[in-house]
Amino acid sequence: MVNSDDDKGEMKTNRYRKIVEHCGTPTFIYSEKTLKGNVQRIKRALDDASLADRVDIYAAYFTNSHPRLFEILAEQGIGATLQGVEEYHQLHSWGLKLPLVVSPTCLSDKDLEFFLDKQLQVNVSLPEELEYALQGASNTGVRLDLSAEQRQRTGLKIDELDEIKQICRRLKKQVHAIHTYPGTGSNFQKLVKHAEDVFKVYKKHFSGVKEINLGGGFAFDYDADSTEDKHFPWREYFAKLASLIDQFQIPNNVRISIEPGRDIFADAGEFLVSVNRVHTRRGIQQVYTDGSYVFMPSATIRERQHNIRIYDEHFREVEDRSGSAELNGCTTLSSDFLFPGIVRAPVHIQKGSYILVQDIGAYGSCQHMEFLNKRPAAEVLVTNEGVLQLITESGNPTDKIRYALCNPKLIG
Ligand SMILES: Cc1ncc(COP(=O)(O)O)c(C=O)c1O
């Protein structure tokens, strides 16, 4: 609903009203237009840098593991990064066909076998896995820890590279790809330096590989005001990447891939909650909502505030921000706020009004916790044409898992 002109004003608030009438709150709301726009932003930047034929995009599935959303991404011609067998089954059960790459932490022989059997490329992160995978597959990649501290939980360390070479020599096999992950929320400078480091390692140790996977981690600025300022500076990044590819003379037949998650999903999702009660204590309005930390834990874990919009009970937007408030969740957990800290809010927030938490499309609903027994929230997709599709049903009081609907239901 955000970020598009025709979604402003009355049309938008009518949609919220309809959504609330149909599924109540709390509800996650996604915009197909924004999701597609986020992919197109990356693709345009690739085009501008003449890298469109060179770079493959695999969106990290766990960022928002709703197959309906990945169906939209598949239509945009991008693939998905998986890290576990269940994820494969989820996409498969939807009949979704899209390019897949597996970038896990550590897989059992059984799970590794599962992916190898499907002829999927697995970026393994332990010498033992490499030994196992190379015996059967010709497209195995290795996940490398290139951090200065060499303390990433996952990834082969620099001092293990000789062991990797020995395994390849002994089995007379080659590693197909190198994969790296710089850490989530990495800024432009860090990711340019990361690409440079990866290319150096490619030149020195892995000049025979056919793919260089630069991973995800592309920062999204939740505090910025404009959409473009929030998103990762893709155009500048790919321009720099193109010059590094030239500088390091990476051959044309070596594919480059990236695995963005947050930047693709973040502003494509919102979370709508109701205000159940308001009580002012020591000058700060304690706003008790039907939302909770358990629906969107990452904001609290990462100590991140989100922009909010506030609507009265008739869905008229309330612009006043001269008061302050804490946004409480509805469970007994002592730290249950939608996100931590005091927010600027209307002087008098009314019981029965609504709060819309913005930019919660990434690592939001997919992190819903069973702890504290809140039934999962409903999820609604606003299609390009403005049609409302219920894509996840809110559970019954005894339910605990996300009810992703194979066949979305129309609302309205
Ligand atoms: C292997 C891998 N690829 C991609 C991602 C996506 O990262 P982000 O959402 O920060 O872009 C992650 C995130 O943890 C990851 O572990």
Side-chain angles (χ1 to χ4, degrees):
M1 302 252 228
V2 277
N3 304 338
S4 54
D5 291 339
D6 62 358
D7 276 336
K8 288 212 175 93
E10 216 176 300
M11 190 188 281
K12 181 171 170 174
T13 50
N14 277 339
R15 280 183 195 149
Y16 291 137
R17 196 175 298 121
K18 234 188 228 178
I19 289 169
V20 169
E21 274 165 20
H22 192 277
C23 24
T25 56
T27 294
F28 285 95
I29 303 166
Y30 302 100
S31 161
E32 179 176 14
K33 201 178 279 180
T34 306
L35 192 56
K36 283 185 170 165
N38 291 347
V39 174
Q40 288 310 318
R41 179 181 295 102
I42 302 177
K43 288 194 150 190
R44 269 197 310 276
L46 279 173
D47 262 338
D48 291 350
S50 303
L51 287 179
D53 295 335
R54 194 73 199 274
V55 175
D56 299 311
I57 308 170
Y58 297 92
Y61 179 63
F62 42 84
T63 309
N64 189 329
S65 44
H66 200 303
R68 175 72 186 99
L69 302 180
F70 272 80
E71 190 173 44
I72 296 169
L73 297 186
E75 284 161 15
Q76 300 291 292
I78 72 173
T81 296
L82 307 182
Q83 50 86 53
V85 166
E86 293 80 356
E87 298 179 337
Y88 178 91
H89 286 296
Q90 288 172 28
L91 286 171
H92 190 68
S93 70
W94 243 256
L96 268 187
K97 295 223 173 355
L98 71 174
L100 297 175
V101 64
V102 187
S103 303
T105 290
C106 160
L107 296 175
S108 65
D109 287 354
K110 185 166 161 253
D111 288 359
L112 195 47
E113 196 61 55
F114 175 88
F115 286 125
L116 299 180
D117 197 47
K118 305 271 179 275
Q119 293 179 352
L120 289 175
Q121 182 189 317
V122 183
N123 295 313
V124 299
S125 61
L126 291 172
E128 292 81 355
E129 290 175 297
L130 183 67
E131 178 115 32
Y132 187 93
L134 276 186
Q135 294 178 37
S138 55
N139 59 351
T140 304
V142 285
R143 180 166 174 166
L144 306 174
D145 173 2
L146 297 186
S147 66
E149 304 77 23
Q150 290 286 280
R151 293 186 57 120
Q152 285 185 350
R153 192 175 66 84
T154 299
L156 291 152
K157 307 301 167 208
I158 298 295
D159 63 10
E160 291 171 325
L161 295 188
D162 279 345
E163 194 179 345
I164 299 309
K165 286 180 191 164
Q166 279 168 24
I167 292 173
C168 291
R169 226 174 285 133
R170 183 157 33 80
L171 296 176
K172 298 191 176 55
K173 292 280 179 70
Q174 284 204 345
V175 165
H176 175 78
I178 52 174
H179 173 275
T180 53
Y181 181 64
T184 200
S186 296
N187 65 21
F188 172 76
Q189 281 81 7
K190 183 171 173 194
L191 287 182
V192 169
K193 162 90 172 48
H194 173 73
E196 203 173 334
D197 290 347
V198 177
F199 291 161
K200 278 183 193 158
V201 168
Y202 160 79
K203 278 286 191 199
K204 190 162 174 206
H205 300 282
F206 292 100
S207 56
V209 303
K210 295 289 174 264
E211 184 182 327
I212 301 174
N213 187 328
L214 297 169
F218 302 93
F220 178 89
D221 185 352
Y222 290 85
D223 295 327
D225 291 326
S226 78
T227 301
E228 287 315 309
D229 287 345
K230 285 180 180 191
H231 281 278
F232 187 75
W234 291 106
R235 184 166 288 152
E236 290 82 344
Y237 176 73
F238 287 133
K240 198 74 199 152
L241 193 65
S243 74
L244 287 174
I245 288 172
D246 278 352
Q247 183 190 327
F248 285 88
Q249 298 175 327
I250 312 289
N252 273 331
N253 64 346
V254 174
R255 304 289 306 168
I256 309 288
S257 40
I258 56 169
E259 300 177 335
R262 194 181 299 281
D263 186 85
I264 289 184
F265 284 100
D267 58 345
E270 303 172 324
F271 188 44
L272 186 64
V273 301
S274 295
V275 174
N276 289 337
R277 293 188 193 284
V278 183
H279 176 75
T280 300
R281 208 172 266 148
R282 296 188 199 106
I284 296 172
Q285 297 171 92
Q286 294 301 320
V287 178
Y288 295 93
T289 73
D290 62 358
S292 170
Y293 156 83
V294 300
F295 294 113
M296 43 174 286
S298 74
T300 299
I301 292 164
R302 295 195 167 268
E303 299 176 353
R304 183 181 68 226
Q305 285 207 331
H306 284 250
N307 289 322
I308 53 167
R309 286 176 179 252
I310 300 178
Y311 298 92
D312 71 10
E313 59 183 326
H314 304 295
F315 272 106
R316 285 180 301 233
E317 185 155 4
V318 186
E319 310 263 3
D320 170 32
R321 288 292 182 274
S322 49
S324 53
E326 284 187 308
L327 306 178
N328 286 259
C330 59
T331 75
T332 188
L333 186 73
S334 56
S335 57
D336 193 358
F337 296 96
L338 287 180
F339 49 78
I342 295 171
V343 296
R344 289 174 49 203
V347 182
H348 295 296
I349 301 181
Q350 300 296 323
K351 172 180 173 179
S353 54
Y354 297 95
I355 294 174
L356 186 73
V357 180
Q358 298 190 291
D359 304 334
I360 189 65
Y363 306 107
S365 52
C366 58
Q367 292 196 351
H368 171 241
M369 288 181 183
E370 183 177 320
F371 175 49
L372 294 164
N373 307 308
K374 297 306 295 178
R375 70 179 89 179
E379 295 177 87
V380 173
L381 174 71
V382 183
T383 69
N384 259 357
E385 297 73 34
V387 173
L388 303 181
Q389 291 184 350
L390 183 69
I391 60 169
T392 299
E393 222 151 18
S394 165
N396 292 313
T398 51
D399 288 335
K400 294 186 172 190
I401 54 168
R402 193 181 190 190
Y403 275 95
L405 295 170
C406 217
N407 296 308
K409 296 181 181 171
L410 291 189
I411 297 178

